[in-house]
């Protein structure tokens, strides 16, 4: 069964909402939905699919692309109309199933204003509601529930859950599913179009690393044993379900398996069992630079831009680092499909062992302990780092020197780097303590990041999950407490990335995003464009920024065709405190609920300037609420800046951000806007209360073509 992975409810829906129809520059990789395909990825790795309405169940990408656009038109009637067989793009995301379970996702109907939930049916029998199912399976759901319990005034927009995990299934068995929308009175719609999927066959080749000689005592280095298991497993497999490497929790030697860098292969599953930990070695020698990679196609600094491998990797063996700095770019590889069909799952922990853990953990809004790590930096890495300290020490550079700063930007291992992978699922794990970034997907296609718990606060640069020049991502049901951006998208920098494949097509929903520098973030590397993103039904709490778009003029490209809807934010971009169930929780940085800026620091990377300035355009923000608790701290509720055109070394004309729509947005207890160089944009049904002592919240300059309808207070 073939699939190109992206749900019609993301790429095509974004086109419909922002542009009215898909135009040039979008993805040509089609969607998958009920009536066309299951969404489980890979001809050799996906659940077989049948459809009640189409014989093209296993069609290729081109036919799926056509059906993707058609599905939006097919869903234009409201669910409340009772039309039978509505297309909600019901699907199983790539590899989001195994021999006993699967996860369903679907898009909301065109008119969902009266909806409260969805019910899921299997073979004609009701399984339950999406909200109740998320309570059982989503690590984000308890925090989302608490968020609304604290909203006693009913200020915030309510999120809808549109995913469902089905468990207790038999291996290699077909099941048919439908979804019914449910209104507040409990009335159901008619069934959606059905989806029939087949579970995976039972695993017959399982490599338990403890039975192969690995020791879970937390001190024995197990790299070679685990890598041998991976190599042997994948060598005889033709699908993600052909074999499994198991990190067990019941080994007599213990539950913590220490390892250096590991390299995954095509057609395999890596499972870290609940209670088990795969922990990174603290020794830089266990992450050989010769097996690492280079992020971009040009030298990003004048010292050495080679990166060591991460704890988990999928890296092309033919494109690993050269033997010397600034000699070649063998470590860079933009080839897609080098690997395929990889699953990383289980309910265990992936621990990068990067930095010192603070003496006192955070007690969160549920009264649970959250890991709190040292807020390291280039100047503090020797005193606060663990693996990070070893890796920087191995460079021999003097702290404070330019060389040391350049090494600091590259010579630390991330938690995971997956490059050139087609069809990859990472789910259910706890992810913690990288020396550098969290999980990175580079030049990959058909990616799922779901049901994870990320605890990386306050690690320097520890983004939760990053997507770079990749296509078709599902990000849902995650709890992300991050030391940098929670969910980040990047697309290279400068002239070298003009004409390169964009970072495109992502569907982000039902996540709880906490403490990061930004909840949903485009940039700062925007060179090849970041486009076609749907972020909906997420909750953000204590993040420094909410929707964050950042770049510099010289970086070029930008972000476009982004829909940010049905999201709720509290205490975002402030230093305010909030008390929940007797616990006082504080943010630590002033930022902005919405920011579109070209004044971001470019960092240490060196690149050739783009042909034209970066820009953010064609952005829809709809049905979003923001409560920042108090106007005693914080940044502007909406910050927009462009480029004034005065830097003769750039040669760019004055640049405006364009076509940004704020529709049905409520903001309270937040400081006035700071808007400059915004063009041809609309504010519709925007309600603002308590913006502090300023006369008006509408602080707008150097802008044109702005229209206002139904806004409170009125624009002076």
């Amino acid at each position: 069964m073939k699939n190109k992975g992206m749900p019609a409810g993301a790429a095509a829906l974004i086109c419909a909402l922002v542009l009215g129809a898909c135009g040039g520059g979008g993805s040509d990789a089609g969607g998958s939905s009920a009536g066309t395909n299951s969404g489980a990825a890979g001809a050799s790795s996906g659940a077989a699919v049948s459809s009640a309405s189409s014989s093209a169940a296993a069609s290729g990408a081109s036919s799926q692309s056509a059906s993707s656009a058609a599905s939006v038109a097919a869903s234009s009637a409201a669910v409340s109309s009772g039309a039978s067989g509505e297309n909600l793009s019901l699907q199983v995301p790539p590899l989001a199933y195994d021999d006993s379970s699967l996860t369903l996702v679907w898009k909301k109907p065109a008119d969902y204003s009266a909806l409260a939930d969805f019910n899921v049916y299997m073979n004609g029998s009701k399984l339950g509601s999406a909200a109740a199912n998320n309570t059982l399976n989503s690590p984000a759901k308890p925090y989302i529930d608490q968020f609304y319990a604290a909203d006693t005034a009913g200020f915030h927009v309510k999120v809808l859950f549109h995913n469902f995990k089905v468990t207790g299934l038999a291996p290699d068995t077909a099941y048919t599913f439908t979804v019914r929308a449910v209104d507040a009175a409990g009335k159901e719609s008619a069934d959606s179009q059905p989806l029939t999927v087949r579970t995976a066959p039972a695993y017959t080749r399982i490599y338990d690393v403890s039975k192969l000689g690995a020791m879970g005592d937390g001190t024995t280095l197990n790299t070679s044993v685990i890598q041998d298991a991976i190599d042997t497993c994948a060598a005889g497999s033709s699908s993600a379900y052909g074999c499994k490497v198991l990190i067990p929790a019941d080994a007599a030697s213990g539950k913590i398996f220490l390892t250096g860098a590991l390299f995954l292969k095509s057609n395999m599953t890596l499972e870290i069992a609940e209670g088990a930990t795969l922990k990174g070695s603290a020794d830089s020698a266990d992450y050989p630079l010769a097996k690492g990679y280079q992020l971009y196609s040009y030298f990003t600094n004048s010292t050495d831009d080679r990166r060591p491998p991460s704890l988990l990797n999928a890296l092309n063996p033919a494109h690993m680092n050269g033997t010397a700095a600034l000699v070649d770019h063998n470590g860079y590889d933009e080839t897609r499909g080098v690997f395929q069909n990889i699953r990383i799952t289980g309910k265990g922990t992936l621990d990068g062992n990067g930095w010192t853990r603070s003496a006192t953990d955070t007690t969160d809004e549920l009264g649970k302990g959250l890991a709190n790590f040292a807020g390291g930096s280039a100047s503090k890495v020797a005193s606060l780092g663990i693996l990070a300290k070893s890796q920087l020490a191995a460079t021999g550079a003097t702290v404070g020197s330019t060389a040391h700063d350049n090494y600091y930007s590259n010579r630390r291992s991330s938690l995971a780097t997956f490059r050139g992978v087609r069809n990859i699922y990472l789910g259910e794990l706890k992810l913690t303590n990288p020396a550098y970034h969290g999980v990175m997907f580079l030049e990959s296609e058909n990616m799922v990041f779901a049901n994870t718990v990320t605890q990386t606060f306050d690690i320097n640069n520890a983004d939760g999950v990053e997507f770079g020049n990749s296509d078709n991502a599902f990000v849902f049901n995650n709890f992300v407490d991050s030391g940098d951006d929670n969910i980040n998208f990047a697309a290279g920098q400068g002239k070298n990335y003009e004409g390169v494949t964009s970072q495109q097509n992502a569907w982000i929903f039902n996540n709880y995003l906490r403490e990061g520098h930004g909840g949903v973030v485009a940039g700062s590397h925007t060179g090849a464009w970041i486009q076609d993103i749907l972020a909906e039904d997420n909750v953000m709490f204590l993040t420094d920024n909410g929707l964050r778009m950042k770049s510099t003029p010289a970086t070029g490209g930008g972000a476009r065709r982004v829909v940010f809807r049905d999201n709720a934010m509290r205490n975002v971009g402030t230093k305010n405190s909030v008390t929940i169930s007797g616990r006082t929780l504080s943010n630590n940085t002033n930022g902005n609920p919405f920011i579109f800026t070209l004044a971001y620091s470019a960092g240490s990377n060196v690149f050739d300037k783009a042909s034209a300035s970066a820009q953010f355009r064609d952005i829809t923000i709809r049905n979003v609420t923001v409560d920042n608790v108090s106007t005693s701290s914080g940044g502007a509720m909406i910050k927009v800046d462009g480029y004034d055109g005065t830097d003769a070394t750039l040669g760019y004309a004055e640049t405006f951000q364009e076509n940004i729509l704020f529709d049905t947005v409520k903001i309270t207890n937040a400081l006035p806007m700071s808007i400059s160089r915004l063009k041809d944009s609309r504010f519709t049904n925007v309600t603002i209360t308590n913006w502090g002592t300023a006369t008006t919240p509408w602080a707008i300059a150097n802008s044109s073509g702005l229209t206002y309808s139904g806004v409170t207070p009125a624009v002076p």
Side-chain angles (χ1 to χ4, degrees):
M1 185 265 323
K2 296 180 179 178
N3 169 58
K4 291 297 288 185
M6 193 63 206
L13 184 56
I14 290 166
C15 290
L17 288 175
V18 179
L19 300 177
C22 281
S27 170
D28 62 359
S32 57
S33 62
T36 58
N37 205 313
S38 77
S44 63
S45 67
V49 178
S50 64
S51 167
S53 62
S54 174
S55 61
S59 63
S62 58
S63 62
Q64 290 181 48
S65 180
S67 65
S68 174
S71 69
V72 175
S75 65
S76 59
V79 163
S80 57
S81 69
S84 179
E86 182 166 6
N87 186 355
L88 299 182
S89 300
L90 178 62
Q91 62 199 272
V92 177
L95 303 181
Y97 67 102
D98 56 23
D99 55 353
S100 64
S101 67
L102 58 84
T103 297
L104 299 165
V105 300
W106 57 92
K107 68 184 179 75
K108 298 180 292 191
D111 181 2
Y112 53 87
S113 58
L115 298 188
D117 206 345
F118 296 91
N119 288 334
V120 174
Y121 287 75
M122 182 176 76
N123 297 337
S125 297
K126 182 179 176 181
L127 293 178
S129 74
N133 183 266
N134 271 253
T135 298
L136 295 175
N137 295 295
S138 168
K141 179 61 159 49
Y143 291 89
I144 294 174
D145 287 346
Q146 190 285 325
F147 180 92
Y148 289 113
D151 181 26
T152 55
F155 173 82
H156 284 290
V157 60
K158 298 295 192 296
V159 302
L160 282 172
F161 295 93
H162 35 108
N163 70 89
F164 194 104
K165 185 171 184 178
V166 186
T167 58
L169 303 178
D172 198 18
T173 302
Y175 297 89
T176 298
F177 299 94
T178 58
V179 171
R180 299 179 187 177
V182 182
D183 66 17
K187 182 180 178 181
E188 291 186 325
S189 71
D191 279 323
S192 68
Q193 289 185 7
L195 171 72
T196 299
V197 292
R198 182 175 294 275
T199 53
Y203 286 98
T204 57
R205 297 170 58 233
I206 299 176
Y207 295 83
D208 181 333
V209 299
S210 70
K211 296 178 180 178
L212 299 173
M215 303 294 288
D217 55 14
T219 58
T220 302
L221 188 66
N222 297 293
T223 312
S224 61
V225 175
I226 299 174
Q227 188 63 58
D228 285 348
I230 291 169
D231 295 345
T232 303
C233 168
S237 178
S238 59
S239 83
Y241 307 97
C243 74
K244 178 194 295 185
V245 174
L246 175 65
I247 310 299
D250 58 357
S253 60
K255 302 178 180 181
I256 301 175
F257 292 83
L258 194 71
T259 181
L262 297 170
F263 298 86
L264 304 183
K265 304 295 178 66
S266 294
N267 301 318
M268 65 166 291
T269 292
L270 172 66
E271 179 179 336
I272 306 174
E274 184 173 8
T277 297
L278 188 61
K279 185 174 183 178
S281 162
D283 188 345
S284 64
D286 296 323
Y287 305 81
L289 186 61
K291 292 187 176 182
Y293 64 101
Q294 288 166 295
L295 183 62
Y296 288 146
S297 60
Y298 51 88
F299 295 117
T300 61
N301 66 62
S302 59
T303 303
D304 188 349
D305 65 353
R306 294 173 299 166
R307 295 187 174 191
S310 299
L311 180 52
L312 291 183
N313 304 271
L315 296 171
N316 188 346
H319 283 280
M320 291 181 174
N321 286 328
T323 58
L326 308 178
V327 173
D328 59 51
H329 254 88
N330 195 62
Y332 172 74
D333 184 23
E334 63 182 1
T335 308
R336 295 167 187 258
V338 176
F339 302 93
Q340 61 181 344
N341 309 328
I342 298 174
R343 300 183 78 241
I344 308 101
T345 186
K347 294 184 178 181
T349 298
L350 188 64
D351 182 349
N353 200 18
W355 293 85
T356 302
R357 188 161 175 167
S358 299
T360 303
D361 285 344
T362 299
T363 300
D364 68 19
E365 46 271 40
L366 292 183
K368 296 181 178 180
L370 279 182
N372 190 18
F373 296 94
S377 64
S379 63
K380 297 178 181 178
V381 66
S383 59
L384 298 178
I386 301 177
L387 173 60
K389 173 183 177 179
S390 177
Q391 291 182 314
L392 266 294
T395 68
T398 302
V399 175
S401 68
T402 298
H404 187 271
D405 290 345
N406 286 338
Y407 281 126
Y408 185 77
S409 296
N410 290 281
R411 199 54 64 82
R412 292 176 287 150
S413 289
S414 297
L415 207 56
T417 300
F418 305 114
R419 185 171 227 165
V421 184
R422 179 174 295 130
N423 311 329
I424 181 168
Y425 177 92
L426 190 151
E428 290 74 50
L429 295 171
K430 179 180 177 181
L431 307 166
T432 191
N433 201 8
Y436 198 16
H437 300 310
V439 176
M440 301 178 67
F441 297 94
L442 307 176
E443 288 88 18
S444 291
E445 300 171 325
N446 309 335
M447 303 149 288
V448 179
F449 185 81
N451 296 297
T452 65
V453 172
T454 293
Q455 294 186 15
T456 64
F457 187 83
D458 189 21
I459 297 172
N460 191 212
N461 305 126
D463 301 80
V465 61
E466 299 184 66
F467 299 90
N469 296 95
S470 293
D471 191 358
N472 298 349
F474 299 69
V475 183
F476 63 95
N477 283 10
N478 300 289
F479 172 92
V480 184
D481 189 64
S482 171
D484 206 310
D485 294 327
N486 296 100
I487 301 170
N488 179 270
F489 298 93
Q493 294 174 289
K495 189 174 183 63
N496 290 73
Y497 273 76
E498 294 174 357
V500 173
T501 301
S502 300
Q503 166 57 50
Q504 58 193 9
N505 295 332
W507 190 14
I508 306 163
F509 58 101
N510 296 158
N511 300 287
Y512 187 83
L513 307 176
R514 188 184 194 279
E515 283 194 316
H517 292 184
V520 176
V521 182
S524 60
H525 297 186
T526 60
W529 286 95
I530 298 162
Q531 61 191 30
D532 300 325
I533 297 172
L534 173 61
E536 60 179 347
D537 298 297
N538 303 289
V539 168
M540 301 175 197
F541 181 59
L542 301 180
T543 58
D544 297 345
N545 299 277
L547 176 62
R548 185 187 195 194
M549 297 192 179
K550 54 180 179 175
S551 190
T552 70
T555 300
R560 60 191 174 192
R561 300 198 299 268
V562 176
V563 175
F564 185 84
R565 69 178 188 178
D566 308 323
N567 299 300
M569 294 186 268
R570 188 181 189 197
N571 214 6
V572 168
T574 79
K575 295 183 179 180
N576 297 329
S577 297
V578 58
T579 300
I580 299 175
S581 301
R583 292 177 292 274
T584 299
L585 303 166
S586 301
N587 201 344
N588 59 7
T589 302
N590 289 332
N592 312 96
F594 308 98
I595 179 170
F596 309 87
T597 181
L598 297 184
Y600 189 76
S601 171
S604 61
N605 281 5
V606 177
F607 55 90
D608 293 334
K609 67 182 179 69
S611 299
S613 174
Q615 184 190 44
F616 304 120
R617 60 176 302 135
D618 306 330
I619 314 296
T620 295
I621 298 162
R622 175 173 286 131
N623 199 31
V624 176
T625 51
V626 178
D627 180 359
N628 269 359
V629 182
S630 168
T631 58
S632 61
S633 72
M637 61 180 74
I638 301 172
K639 181 173 177 58
V640 180
D641 63 63
Y643 166 61
D644 63 11
T646 61
D647 187 343
T649 65
L650 293 177
Y652 304 147
E654 184 178 12
T655 301
F656 292 76
Q657 318 302 2
E658 294 188 42
N659 192 26
I660 300 178
L661 168 65
F662 286 85
D663 178 22
T664 314
V665 175
K666 292 195 303 178
I667 304 174
T668 191
N669 302 318
L671 294 174
M673 304 173 191
S674 174
I675 294 178
S676 177
R677 293 186 174 84
L678 177 62
K679 184 178 179 182
D680 299 336
S681 297
R682 292 177 290 155
F683 296 84
T684 303
N685 299 321
V686 175
T687 301
I688 303 168
T689 54
N690 189 20
W691 55 89
T693 59
T695 304
T696 176
W698 302 93
I700 301 174
N702 303 316
S703 299
S704 65
L706 307 188
T707 61
Y708 310 89
S709 175
V711 300
T712 303
V715 179

